[in-house]
Amino acid sequence: MDANNNKPKSSNLFNGDCKRTRISHVTIMDLPTVIMVEILSRLPIKPIFKCKTVCKLWYHLLTSEVLSFKTNFPCMLLSDEYYSTTWLLELKADYDYYSLPDNRPIRLSSKFHLPRLKAPIHIIDSCNGFICLLTGSANNKNHSIYINNPLLGEYFKLKLPEWKKGTCRTDYKFCFSEASGKYKVLRLVFSIASMPKVSELEVYTLGVDEKWRNLGQVNLGLKPVWESFGNINVNGAIHWLGNSPGTTSIHSFNVGTEEVKSLPVPRDVGTDPLHWMLTELGNCLYLADTGYNGYVDIWWMKEYGIAQSWTKDRILTDSIPFNIHYSNLRPIIIWKDGEILMQRCCGTELASYNPKEKKFRKVNVYGSGNAATRYIPSFYSLKTVMGKTFQVSNLYPKTKIV
């Protein structure tokens, strides 16, 4: 037997003879859906936006109900209502925000991300990848409310109740009930006769209610509600500060049961309530007392609803970088190495506070704006929430996708 017959035949691929070799090409679209989901969930936001416009197949894959997950990157929405611009800033764990040049956020446009609106847009809040948008002024009837997923380019316009005679202002809140899995929009209606103590509370449940439900009058305290009725969602309830004669309380609205209750404030909090700022951090209520020179007292409610669990910490404001103007720094999120990312209330200047070192560092961000909102991008489709009864609009079919 010829010894040469026992020799393994060399591959034509490595001999340069490619014409006679049929190579099986495997593309990313040949992978199982589960693997595709895992890959997409790890992509930064910018590549995801680009992938949607590659072809119809990729678009339908990215917008299908199968990909109803959140991305791994916490983000912030920076908005400038005067210029009607909205930016999406990714908070990347491996990016040096302190020494590297400004991190450029993604500008969201009406071509791919936001509803096509002529009036300025105000971001009310975000929940699980959806954002609630107000266009126009809430002080009169000429305004609209939209629910939008900028990652998918989907939006839904809510039909608002009739503007009643004597109404002088409305205020909105967007929230999610973990118990029922439903999204709700709250609407506070102020009349000239009742301002600012009492208002009517109306609720609209996405995908369920055909019209708004009136829950009656709610005592919101003497402090104007639009200064504190905001993005404070803890333990399945939203919270705000309210002043009554001789006392100040924290009011809560349980999103699931739709009940209004009161919570105690820290017993030893010192200054006038006008200097207080209520917010949420790490799923805990956080109360900042900014009425002092040189420092800020912050209080954490470690156990929800327990008055004795309020714990005080003191931040020295002389450690704030000289190029950040101190004006009620508001905590946004706990991020890298347990540091607290904070935003100046009247702008998008950002600083990171290290509780262990008790020091601030400036966070370099490119972009302008006067408001910041926490945001976790998600592929969860608004069509799934609204169901077949309600018509959800989509920006992408109007663009050319081959």
Side-chain angles (χ1 to χ4, degrees), residues 42 71 76 102 119 126-127 152 165 180 186 194 221 227 257 267 269 288 290 307-308 317-318 327 350 374 381 395:
R42 297 175 184 270
T71 66
M76 287 177 57
D102 292 354
S126 70
C127 290
L152 301 183
K165 186 177 180 180
S180 64
L186 309 186
S194 64
E227 294 182 7
T257 63
R267 185 173 56 182
V269 64
T290 63
Q308 294 77 13
T317 55
D318 58 4
S327 175
L350 300 177
R374 284 174 298 180
S381 174
L395 297 167

Side-chain angles (χ1 to χ4, degrees), residues 335-347:
W335 67 326
K336 302 167 56 169
D337 301 322
E339 294 193 13
I340 303 174
L341 184 66
M342 296 188 175
Q343 176 226 359
R344 188 165 69 88
C345 286
C346 299

Side-chain angles (χ1 to χ4, degrees), residues 37 86 88 109 148 160 170 178 185 236 256 279-280 292 307 310 337 369 375 391 395:
V37 168
T86 303
L88 191 152
S109 70
N148 168 235
L160 300 180
T170 56
E178 294 283 353
V185 180
T279 185
E280 175 268 333
Y292 303 98
W310 282 109
D337 301 322
Y375 176 66
Q391 181 65 38
L395 297 167

Side-chain angles (χ1 to χ4, degrees), residues 160-370:
L160 300 180
E162 182 181 354
W163 187 271
K164 297 179 181 179
K165 186 177 180 180
T167 300
C168 62
R169 179 183 173 85
T170 56
D171 197 28
Y172 295 90
K173 169 67 181 176
F174 183 46
C175 49
F176 175 72
S177 172
E178 294 283 353
S180 64
K182 301 298 182 182
Y183 294 85
K184 298 182 179 182
V185 180
L186 309 186
R187 184 175 189 256
L188 292 168
V189 183
F190 296 90
S191 64
I192 298 174
S194 64
M195 276 283 291
K197 187 175 181 180
V198 178
S199 73
E200 288 188 353
L201 177 60
E202 299 174 331
V203 180
Y204 182 89
T205 304
L206 300 186
V208 176
D209 295 335
E210 294 186 1
K211 60 181 181 179
W212 294 74
R213 292 178 287 112
N214 192 317
L215 301 185
Q217 292 187 334
V218 180
N219 190 344
L220 300 168
L222 294 178
K223 186 174 182 178
V225 69
W226 51 87
E227 294 182 7
S228 60
F229 187 73
N231 310 333
I232 312 169
N233 197 329
V234 178
N235 202 45
I238 59 174
H239 302 77
W240 66 91
L241 282 172
N243 294 341
S244 299
T247 183
T248 299
S249 301
I250 298 174
H251 299 285
S252 70
F253 174 83
N254 188 297
V255 182
T257 63
E258 299 183 350
E259 295 177 333
V260 178
K261 295 182 179 181
S262 296
L263 296 174
V265 298
R267 185 173 56 182
D268 299 326
V269 64
T271 64
D272 191 296
L274 291 175
H275 299 293
W276 297 359
M277 178 175 57
L278 184 69
T279 185
E280 175 268 333
L281 196 64
N283 201 34
C284 291
L285 282 179
Y286 169 106
L287 181 67
D289 186 356
T290 63
Y292 303 98
N293 291 324
Y295 64 90
V296 174
D297 281 342
I298 59 174
W299 298 80
W300 306 72
M301 181 177 266
K302 296 298 181 66
E303 296 183 48
Y304 183 79
I306 307 299
Q308 294 77 13
S309 70
W310 282 109
T311 304
K312 185 175 76 170
D313 194 7
R314 179 162 290 179
I315 297 178
L316 301 178
T317 55
D318 58 4
S319 66
I320 298 177
F322 69 92
N323 50 1
I324 290 186
H325 180 267
Y326 174 70
S327 175
N328 293 349
L329 285 173
R330 180 171 63 93
I332 299 295
I333 194 173
I334 298 177
W335 67 326
K336 302 167 56 169
D337 301 322
E339 294 193 13
I340 303 174
L341 184 66
M342 296 188 175
Q343 176 226 359
R344 188 165 69 88
C345 286
C346 299
T348 52
E349 291 180 343
L350 300 177
S352 186
Y353 177 70
N354 189 315
K356 296 180 180 179
E357 300 178 359
K358 296 187 179 298
K359 291 183 179 179
F360 284 89
R361 289 190 290 178
K362 187 180 188 303
V363 176
N364 298 319
V365 176
Y366 175 87
S368 62
N370 49 29

Side-chain angles (χ1 to χ4, degrees), residues 51-92:
C51 287
K52 287 184 62 180
T53 59
V54 170
C55 62
K56 289 182 179 180
L57 186 60
W58 282 35
Y59 166 75
H60 290 302
L61 177 62
L62 285 165
T63 57
S64 66
E65 296 180 8
V66 177
L67 302 184
S68 57
F69 60 84
K70 300 177 184 178
T71 66
N72 291 330
F73 301 99
C75 299
M76 287 177 57
L77 294 173
L78 309 176
S79 59
D80 190 324
E81 297 173 24
Y82 181 79
Y83 293 102
S84 192
T85 57
T86 303
W87 305 79
L88 191 152
L89 174 67
E90 294 181 77
L91 303 176
K92 304 172 185 176

